[in-house]
């Protein structure tokens, strides 16, 4: 009873839509055994530009949502992902050449990380902010606020958990993200984009680019409308040059991390993409 | 006679006992510099105050080596309690010598004595008091138990608040257990050198704080020195950008406090007399040599004319003149170079069609002076509305709605500070939420406190100074993480470059930081 | 509005015009009858006061440093602006005569000391004050000494309007040049602004003399009971709208009495009123100003807020008793070069 499969076209995810690269380019994604799996879109600098525009447009709404709401949306991602565990496990099994159990464990870990970060949405500000006892008649409080548009070079040696580990914390505070997927394992990223598109994540909050990080990253690092760049997956690139490019507009920069623990869950990953804002106001009974 | 022509009330210079020349303060002693000495002058008279040593690269090597030795042998091993006691001592000594420091600051910088006496120096003491108490409480700094100091901090400070910026840098660094090499600005080294004498009086162990004087190349050599673990810089965005590029790829952490072009937003229901004072304080405090100065006045269009008229009336009571006169409101511009820059930008404003109004006042014959100036009819595209003038020059723009005010306020690559003036509480909070700036003053302006974090968004730099956040800029989490099962283990790379983030890394776990380079630096230091 | 409508205290004005112009002025500014609604809308439309900023501004003015010649000038100026006051239940003709003697000749050892502006007493003491003053009684702008009487059920103001008016008329009839009335703070705090306005206007009317001239009216806000700066600002506007020639902080019977921030705030109102109408109103901080150092801060505040032209007896006064001796001590120190002592100035 064999049935002829209907393969999926893997495209980019920009501004809530799934466009092909404006350049028309694709590249072959192959299985661990070298078998052809799909033609992924090979994003161009213009796609990166469009993604930044979409991300910038989404910041106000996402940052302006209540923390409770952001937490629910992030949790919703976990819920939807949970419902599609089998699909993701199969995809990972094929592309990474691991056992189904190992692939499934990766999916489970990704889901759990969404849940962990979802729970932080309405708490990190309480931990990272504080009231300041200034010596004067002032109310004074410091709160972490989202940095704005975050560019992320996702970990390159993982299909899903690396991608999620880099993406989720950047979203918690209300930033929007342009994330460049693993070049070798891009399929789960685009499948995850389908999850995001159906999980109440406002369009433009997450934008996923597939293709060559070496080609796209410099454009993101130098883009003046990007506030921070997470080079966690850029260890194989000339990341020092990227950091130098980023310095032109004083971007916040996170360094590459290697190995299976790259982008491990940490509150610091949330606060890294925040700015501490301190507000003073006079106080008096008179 | 006019009562307002208060007789001159100069603060006595007799309290100062300045040396004719000052060396570099390295390893607890004043030593000669190897570069060509330069003189520091009083910007209000252009008179020579003293000769100042000029540190070259070899001197920087010595200073960093001294700081490294002090770190390795003394300071990193000392209990937090004892470090705190040294900081308390310093705070008290600053208080004891407050008047002397204030006079020296006004002499060297040109700022009015009432500001150095009532603002700068008291805050210096407060800063040391605040961080002194942190030294033995670092477990509560927000980085989890047993956070670690970073090592040797290279600190480069500007000329606008010479001693205060020194305090902002040194106090948290020492509290956290770091040692310091600090370079004061070329035009304002004096109080840092008096401060070095205070450190001797406090019997601070040699090498814990080293002060190297010189110009921009001295600072660049310090920042670039491979024995440095942390860079803290306050100054222009251009230099901050260069530093960020220079240290890219290294393990140096950075705090950068850079430029600003703050919007001071005045709504039509503002407490008007206090708003006028706030505008004046916002831009004319310290001759406008303030990175967080409210240099863009955004006034609601329906009260524009009234505000400008009241402002002009108020400005006419400002007294410009001798910085050491207790009645002086506006002192001298710090240097000829800065005066030229203010003039050039101001002229550009006129060329772009803005209307310039300056307080009619007598300008002293010698020294560098610029009368308080307001530009009206300024367009958002004008250079004087976009570039940091760093002088007593206010650009007045208008808005019609809160949304427009926010959009205009945020329409700048900078994001250091902003002001909001309105009687309506809900509007204050909502506007404060949406302003992209690190410090928001509502119905006040230019307030500073050691417990209150200060620092910018965007091109105004990164990291915070002041408060718990400022302490975290000189710490990293303990090298051995918590149980890997608790939070999937991983080193907190997220904290790596982003100082502000460090404040709250309790839940993160860390791997040991590579020590190889640091060991190499120590060797280098030891070889000297 | 223009300068011709200014009604300087004690200066003869065209019979009957003072009140008319005050009312007309109020109507023009308010745009309607001075009832609770119209006044409420107007007073609550005035920009608010940020207390912290106001107090900081006052503190900054207080740091102005006065030296040598300016200080000598300031000390004499303070004396010439003092309403030397005794407002005790125990006041007697003898006490008032002693006060007047001090007012006329503050420092017996130094004839260059100027006279104070006025003596301020309860209404029933007015005849004794006038008698004691003799030829020295007159307009302080001419170097003479006025007699001010507190009236309108001072200090609480808790009595009927009839009694307040009778209290006022009696003092004026006895020869008082100035009436220091209290507003009905209860009515003000309850929002009955029309009532407060009408009482001030009625007292102003009661200040008229048969010859058509009028005693000058100082309106005491009792800022210590109004508590908030917003209230002080509104009450200041209200008192000026209703025709007060002076606005005065306090009775001296309620703490806090005059403070520098409150006085600064009232000066700002006076400045804004002048800007609006061209009409100059005086300000009198009263109570709690005891040292020369403090008084100089007030002079600085006046000069920098409304200008030095306000430092004349018909536009600025200190309501004080012990201040005078401190000024004299300072003055003696400046003259002799050494510090003086309490036994070298007279008690009154």
């Amino acid at each position: 009873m064999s049935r002829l499969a209907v393969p999926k076209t893997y495209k980019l995810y920009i501004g809530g839509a799934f466009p092909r690269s404006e350049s028309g380019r694709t590249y072959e994604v192959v299985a661990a055994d070298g078998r052809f799996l799909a033609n992924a879109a090979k994003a161009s600098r213009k796609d990166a530009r469009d993604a930044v525009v979409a991300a910038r447009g989404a910041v106000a709404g996402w940052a302006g949502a209540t923390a409770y709401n952001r937490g629910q949306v992030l949790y919703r991602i976990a819920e939807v992902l949970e419902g599609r565990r089998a699909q993701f496990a199969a995809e990972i099994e094929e592309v990474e050449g691991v056992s189904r159990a190992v692939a499934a464990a990766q999916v489970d870990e990704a889901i759990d990380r969404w849940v962990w970060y979802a729970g932080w949405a309405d708490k990190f500000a309480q931990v990272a902010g504080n009231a300041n006892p200034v010596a004067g008649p002032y109310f004074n409080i410091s709160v972490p606020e989202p940095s704005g548009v975050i560019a992320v070079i996702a970990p390159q040696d993982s299909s899903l958990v690396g991608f999620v580990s880099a993406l989720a914390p950047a979203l918690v505070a209300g930033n929007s993200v342009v994330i460049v997927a693993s070049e070798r394992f891009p399929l789960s990223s685009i499948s995850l984009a389908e999850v995001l598109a159906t999980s109440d994540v406002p369009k433009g909050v997450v934008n996923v680019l597939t293709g060559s990080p070496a080609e796209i990253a410099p454009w993101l690092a130098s883009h003046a409308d990007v506030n921070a760049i997470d080079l966690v997956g850029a260890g194989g690139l000339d990341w020092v040059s990227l950091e130098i490019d980023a310095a032109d507009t004083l971007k916040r920069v996170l360094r590459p991390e290697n190995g299976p623990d790259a982008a491990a869950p940490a509150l610091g990953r949330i606060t890294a993409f925040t700015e501490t804002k301190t507000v003073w106001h006079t106080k008096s009974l008179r | 006679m006019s009562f307002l022509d208060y007789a001159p009330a100069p603060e006595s210079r007799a309290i100062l006992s300045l040396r004719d020349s000052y060396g570099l303060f390295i390893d607890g002693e004043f030593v000669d510099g190897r570069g060509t000495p330069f003189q520091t002058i009083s910007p209000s008279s252009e008179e020579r105050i003293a000769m100042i040593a000029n540190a070259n690269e070899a001197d920087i090597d010595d200073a960093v080596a001294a700081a490294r030795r002090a770190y390795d042998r003394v300071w990193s091993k000392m209990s937090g309690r004892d470090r705190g006691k040294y900081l308390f001592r310093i705070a008290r000594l600053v208080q004891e010598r407050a008047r002397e420091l204030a006079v020296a600051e006004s002499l060297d910088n040109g700022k009015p004595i009432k500001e150095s006496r009532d603002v700068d120096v008291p805050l210096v003491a407060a800063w040391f008091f605040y961080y002194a108490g942190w030294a033995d409480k670092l477990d509560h700094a927000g980085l989890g138990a047993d956070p670690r100091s970073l090592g040797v901090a290279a600190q480069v400070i500007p000329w606008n608040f010479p001693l205060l910026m020194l305090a902002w840098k040194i106090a948290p660094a020492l509290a956290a257990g770091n040692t310091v090499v600090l370079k004061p600005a070329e035009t304002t080294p004096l109080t840092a050198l008096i401060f070095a004498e205070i450190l001797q009086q406090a019997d601070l162990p040699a090498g814990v704080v080293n002060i190297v004087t010189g110009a921009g190349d001295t600072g660049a050599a310090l920042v670039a020195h491979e024995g440095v673990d942390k860079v803290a810089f306050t100054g222009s965005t251009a230099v901050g950008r260069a530093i960020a590029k220079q240290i890219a790829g290294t393990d140096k952490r950075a705090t950068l406090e850079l430029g600003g072009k703050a919007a001071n937003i005045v709504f039509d229901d503002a407490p008007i007399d206090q708003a006028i004072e706030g505008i004046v304080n916002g831009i004319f405090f310290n001759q406008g040599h303030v990175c967080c100065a409210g240099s863009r006045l955004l006034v609601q269009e329906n009260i524009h004319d009234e505000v400008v008229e009241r402002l002009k009336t108020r400005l006419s009571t400002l007294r410009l003149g001798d910085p050491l006169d207790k009645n002086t409101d506006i002192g001298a511009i710090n240097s000829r170079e800065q005066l030229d820059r203010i003039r050039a930008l101001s002229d550009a404003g006129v060329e772009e069609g803005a209307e310039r109004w300056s307080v009619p006042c007598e300008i002293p014959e010698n020294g560098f002076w610029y009368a308080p100036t307001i530009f009206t009819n300024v367009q958002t595209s004008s250079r004087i509305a976009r570039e940091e003038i760093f002088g007593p020059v206010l650009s007045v723009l208008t808005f019609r709605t809160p949304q427009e005010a926010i959009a205009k306020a945020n329409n700048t690559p900078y994001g250091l500070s902003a002001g909001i003036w309105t009687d309506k509480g809900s509007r204050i909070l909502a506007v404060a939420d949406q302003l992209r700036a690190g410090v928001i003053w509502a119905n006040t302006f230019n307030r500073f406190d050691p417990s209150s974090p200060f620092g910018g968004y965007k091109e105004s730099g990164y990291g915070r100074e002041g408060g718990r956040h400022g302490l975290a800029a000189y710490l990293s989490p303990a090298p051995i993480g918590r149980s890997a099962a608790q939070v999937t283990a991983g080193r907190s790379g997220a904290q790596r470059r982003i100082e502000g983030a460090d404040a709250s890394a309790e839940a993160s776990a860390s791997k040991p930081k590579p020590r190889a380079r640091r060991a190499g630096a120590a060797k280098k230091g030891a070889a000297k | 509005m223009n300068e011709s409508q200014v009604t300087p205290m004690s200066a003869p004005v065209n019979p009957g015009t003072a009140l008319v112009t005050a009312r007309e002025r109020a109507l023009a500014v308010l745009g309607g009858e001075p009832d609770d609604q119209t006044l409420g809308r107007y007073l609550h439309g005035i920009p608010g006061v940020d207390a912290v900023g106001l107090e900081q501004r006052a503190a900054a003015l207080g740091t102005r440093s006065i030296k040598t010649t300016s200080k000598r000038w300031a000390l004499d100026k303070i004396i010439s602006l003092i309403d030397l006051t005794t407002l005790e239940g125990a006041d007697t003709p003898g006490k008032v005569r002693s006060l007047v003697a001090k007012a006329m000749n503050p420092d017996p050892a130094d004839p260059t000391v100027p006279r104070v502006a006025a003596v301020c007493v309860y209404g029933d003491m007015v005849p004794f004050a006038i008698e004691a003053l003799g030829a020295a009684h007159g307009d302080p702008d001419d170097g003479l000494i006025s007699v001010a009487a507190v009236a309108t059920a001072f200090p609480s103001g808790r009595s009927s309007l009839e009694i307040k008016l009778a209290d006022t008329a009696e003092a004026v009839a006895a020869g008082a040049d100035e009436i220091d009335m209290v507003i009905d703070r209860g009515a003000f705090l309850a929002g009955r602004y029309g009532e407060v306005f009408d009482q001030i206007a009625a007292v102003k009317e009661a200040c008229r003399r048969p010859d058509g001239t009028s005693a000058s009216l100082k309106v005491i806000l009792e800022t210590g009971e109004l508590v908030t700066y917003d209230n002080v600002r509104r009450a200041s506007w209200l008192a000026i709208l209703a025709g007060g020639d002076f606005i005065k902080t306090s009775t001296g019977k309620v703490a806090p009495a005059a403070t520098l921030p409150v006085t600064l705030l009232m000066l700002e109102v006076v400045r804004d009123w002048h800007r609006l109408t061209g009409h100059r109103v005086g300000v009198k901080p009263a109570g709690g100003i005891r040292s020369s150092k403090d008084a100089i801060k007030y002079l600085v505040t006046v000069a920098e807020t409304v200008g030095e032209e306000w430092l004349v007896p018909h536009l600025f006064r200190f309501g004080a008793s012990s201040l005078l001796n401190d000024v004299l001590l300072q003055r003696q120190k400046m003259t002799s070069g050494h510090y003086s002592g309490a036994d070298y100035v007279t008690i009154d």
Side-chain angles (χ1 to χ4, degrees), chain B residues 299-351:
Chain B
V299 58
Q300 197 160 349
E301 199 166 322
N302 58 338
I303 57 166
H304 170 272
D305 293 354
E306 184 191 352
V307 166
V308 170
E309 186 204 330
R310 284 174 181 267
L311 199 51
K312 287 178 177 176
T313 305
R314 173 67 180 89
L315 292 183
S316 301
T317 68
L318 292 178
R319 278 146 225 286
L320 178 146
D322 181 6
L324 289 180
D325 190 319
K326 294 171 210 166
N327 291 323
T328 292
D329 298 310
I330 305 287
I333 301 300
N334 181 250
S335 65
R336 185 178 300 284
E337 184 191 4
Q338 186 58 25
L339 179 60
D340 290 344
R341 190 174 310 154
I342 296 167
R343 283 182 174 150
L345 268 168
S346 191
D347 291 345
V350 174
E351 279 163 30

Side-chain angles (χ1 to χ4, degrees), chain A residues 130 147 243 248 255 267 277, chain B residues 241 250 432 435-436 497:
Chain A
N130 44 244
S147 296
E243 192 174 331
D248 262 323
R255 295 280 179 78
L267 175 57
K277 176 187 283 179
Chain B
R241 187 179 286 132
T250 72
L435 289 175
R436 307 275 296 149
R497 300 298 312 281

Side-chain angles (χ1 to χ4, degrees), chain B residues 389-447:
Chain B
I389 299 174
F390 222 64
V393 180
L394 177 68
S395 298
V396 184
L397 298 97
T398 60
F399 68 89
R400 295 160 297 177
T401 63
Q403 286 74 12
E404 188 180 10
I406 291 163
K408 285 185 169 174
N410 287 340
N411 182 216
T412 166
Y414 294 118
L416 188 51
S417 65
I420 308 168
W421 297 86
T422 168
D423 236 13
K424 192 163 177 173
S426 59
R427 184 187 292 144
I428 289 170
L429 296 178
V431 172
D433 264 357
Q434 293 191 35
L435 289 175
R436 307 275 296 149
V439 185
I440 313 279
W441 287 292
N443 290 333
T444 188
F445 209 94
N446 271 346
R447 299 290 147 200

Side-chain angles (χ1 to χ4, degrees), chain B residues 7 30-31 47 72 82 187 220 247 287 292 359 367 403 432 452 472 503 515 519:
Chain B
F30 283 97
V31 299
E47 285 168 12
D72 288 341
D82 284 354
T187 59
I247 65 175
Q287 294 75 246
C292 52
V359 174
Q403 286 74 12
S452 179
R515 305 285 296 184

Side-chain angles (χ1 to χ4, degrees), chain B residues 109-272:
Chain B
N109 168 279
K111 66 173 63 198
I113 186 74
K114 73 171 184 183
E115 289 178 10
S116 50
R117 180 195 65 200
D118 298 344
V119 181
D120 294 55
V121 176
L123 278 175
V124 169
W127 233 268
F128 280 101
F129 259 108
Y130 177 80
Y131 280 108
W134 265 120
D136 56 359
K137 301 169 190 69
L138 299 181
D139 284 357
H140 305 280
L143 291 90
D146 202 19
R148 299 304 156 92
S149 53
L150 305 177
V152 174
Q155 305 180 323
V156 179
I157 58 172
W159 46 260
N160 56 342
F161 295 92
L163 191 62
L164 183 56
M165 290 301 104
L166 173 151
W168 284 30
K169 297 282 182 286
I170 291 181
L174 297 194
N178 305 277
T179 56
V180 163
V181 180
L182 176 132
K183 192 200 87 73
E186 182 182 7
T187 59
T188 56
L190 193 59
T191 44
L193 296 165
I194 298 175
F195 181 79
E197 296 172 0
I198 285 177
L199 297 180
Q200 289 178 325
Q201 290 182 336
D203 205 19
L204 186 75
V208 171
V209 172
N210 305 274
I211 294 171
V212 290
T213 45
D217 52 346
T218 303
L222 174 58
V223 168
H225 199 285
E226 62 175 5
V228 159
D229 301 292
K230 160 82 186 181
V231 174
F233 171 76
T234 297
S236 72
T237 289
V239 175
R241 187 179 286 132
I243 289 173
K245 284 174 187 280
Q246 190 180 42
I247 65 175
T250 72
D251 276 346
K252 293 174 189 172
R253 288 190 9 181
T255 306
L256 302 174
E257 298 288 4
L258 310 177
K261 192 72 188 177
N264 204 356
I265 305 169
V266 180
F267 288 95
D268 62 4
D269 66 340
I272 194 69

Side-chain angles (χ1 to χ4, degrees), chain A residues 98-178:
Chain A
V98 295
S99 70
R100 174 61 63 103
V102 168
Q106 185 178 155
V107 179
D108 291 349
E109 180 63 23
I111 293 168
D112 289 353
R113 289 186 182 188
W114 279 115
V115 172
W116 193 74
Y117 279 116
W120 268 118
D122 51 5
K123 297 166 194 71
F124 79 94
Q126 291 178 303
V127 178
N130 44 244
N132 306 305
V134 296
Y138 301 96
F139 170 81
N140 179 298
I141 192 165
S142 293
V143 289
E145 297 207 333
S147 296
V149 173
I150 315 299
V152 180
I153 310 302
Q156 295 295 300
D157 44 11
S158 146
S159 292
L160 183 64
V161 78
F163 186 86
V164 167
S165 300
L167 172 62
L171 295 175
V172 171
N175 298 292
S176 55
V177 172
V178 175

